[in-house]
Amino acid sequence: SITYLPLTVIRYNLAAELARAKCEVVFVPWSDTRAEFQRIRSRLADLVRAGLERDDALKGLTLNAARALGLGDRLGSIEKGKDADLVFFKGDPLSPHTKPTRVMILGEVVWKAEDRE
């Protein structure tokens, strides 16, 4: 989250500072509720608006998170030989208004949104 420097009104984006220092930043939901999984994209969008690079935000949810769990050789990026576990979005994945359209696990589509347009 974005905080303020002590005793000031200066906003401080720790995630952006760590990413600029070449640290592998990881973003995880605060809980495993559906609402929290929806909120994490809003929080990341706020961090991007406050200076975090989009690529660092996306890597923090994908590759860096997989590496932190010791699963970077199987998950976190789209590469030959890795598990094909993907979520497809209709638009910007960091926008809280963008809806997922499909979910793929191990290369098989396991969920598809109903087309309502």
Side-chain angles (χ1 to χ4, degrees), residues 46-61:
D46 288 344
L47 289 170
V48 168
R49 280 191 295 274
L52 179 66
E53 296 293 327
R54 289 182 60 77
D55 286 348
D56 292 327
L58 291 171
K59 280 179 80 174
L61 278 177

Side-chain angles (χ1 to χ4, degrees), residues 19-73:
R20 277 193 281 277
K22 303 299 181 208
C23 294
E24 285 192 0
V25 179
V26 174
F27 300 105
V28 296
W30 292 351
S31 69
D32 63 352
T33 63
R34 180 179 178 178
E36 182 54 30
F37 278 98
Q38 292 171 333
R39 266 188 229 116
I40 193 167
R41 289 191 296 151
S42 294
R43 289 194 184 104
L44 280 176
D46 288 344
L47 289 170
V48 168
R49 280 191 295 274
L52 179 66
E53 296 293 327
R54 289 182 60 77
D55 286 348
D56 292 327
L58 291 171
K59 280 179 80 174
L61 278 177
T62 57
L63 184 58
N64 293 351
R67 286 179 179 158
L69 293 170
L71 299 171
D73 60 329

